[in-house]
Structures are given as C-alpha cells and as structure tokens.
Amino acid sequence: MSSSTQTPKSTYHLYTFYASSCAARLRIAFNLKNIDYVPHYVDMNTDDHESEAYRAINPSAAIPTLRIETEGEDPFTIAQSVAILEFLEETFPSRTPLLPPPSDTKARARVRELMYIVTSDIFPPTNSRIAQSVKAVRGEREDALTFVRTIMNRGFATYETYLSTYFPNGKYSADDAITLADVCLIPQVEQARFYKIDFAQFPLLSGVIERLEKVEAFRKAGWRMQGDTPEKDRLES
C-alpha cells in the first residue's frame, strides 16, 4: 500500500488527574474502545490546572482536555468531557459502540437522558468548588456535606426510577450493552462514596454498579490505579 493511501497517524494526549471523575469518564471510554492515549498528569491538588501553561491548552482551567495530534494536520483540542466522549464515539463508532445505532434514535435519546442525569443534574452542583462555596456561606463544613448528599441522593433516586421504568431487567444502565450512561455513572459513584452515599437504597442501580465494576475497562480507569495516584492509595493493576 502506498503512503498516499494510508490513514494519517493520530496521537491522543489526555490531560488528566487521578481524582477527576470527568477524566475518569474518558479513561473508561479509551479502555473500552481500545484506543491508546498518552496521559499528561495535571495535579489539581497543587493548582497545576490554574497555571498559565495549562490555561493556554484549556482556557477554562478544567480537567480533562484531549489534544489530538495528526500527521499533516494542525492539533485539535477538546475541553469538555461529554463533547470528547461523543467525539470518540463518532470517530470510532465500530469500536465497542457506546450508543445504540443511529437508526434507533429513541434508544440513543434514552442513553443520553441517563448520561445527563449524571453530567448535568448530579455532577455540576456537587463539584468541589460549589461545595466549598456552600461551606463558605456560614463557614460550616456540614452545610457543604448536607448539600452535596442531598443533590446526589436525588439524582441517583431519579436514575433508579429510570432503570425501574425502562430497563428493570437490564444488565447495565440501558439494557444489556455498556453505553455512555455507564461510562459517566461509575466515576460519579466513586465520588459519591467519599460522601458515604448508601447505594443499598437503590437496588437496581446497585446491581448495575456491581456488574460494571467487574469490567476490566472500568476497573483500570479507577482513581486508585492511575500513574499519578498517591502511593498510599494506589492499587496494583
């Protein structure tokens, strides 16, 4: 085959932080789709994401960022996790599809509903920056904890209702295939455990979580198995 007909090689650079649930979404997706990527660790504990160098890559100073370098092309950068997930799905639709077929628009909408319960209803208001702002009102840590737990419990209760209504016998969130909903769910579950959310109150969701956490792509993407995970917290692969 001549070089003129070969597909240009792309290298995927993922700016990530071990404790970022948004970055974990992408690590899971890369694992499921078997796409190699180069991790670049940004230490949010020391405010590396606020540096001038990182802001030049991502003006919002958020994690994650994906930078794609393709031979013969200008680099392409995406800075929102959901946008990156959909980009990967559209770029690699046949590698472990994470949405139902384009012809099944209703099923795709259902997956996105579940995904957005996590990425719109649960995650943004429980982000640590928001929690710190709530704490700052009266200087009471318990205010932030109560606020975050209330939002999370409401969100996961809604998720449980969707499961019981549409997929009561499903293996995963949207029936028997892993989807973007699952990719977003598990990192949020890991975050919720820090706030001691009791998932026993959500039996269908608990079953989905248990099955997903046995999948190698999810396990390897966990916060305790990253290159920048502190030694005291790290699990061996």
Side-chain angles (χ1 to χ4, degrees), residues 98-112 167 174-175:
L98 298 175
L99 281 173
S103 58
D104 196 345
T105 55
K106 291 180 180 178
R108 287 166 76 90
R110 192 67 73 207
V111 169
R112 287 186 169 108
F167 307 107
D175 221 350

Side-chain angles (χ1 to χ4, degrees), residues 28-42:
I28 293 168
F30 273 111
N31 291 347
L32 286 168
K33 289 183 173 290
N34 195 27
I35 303 169
D36 291 332
Y37 67 92
V38 179
H40 298 267
Y41 302 118
V42 182

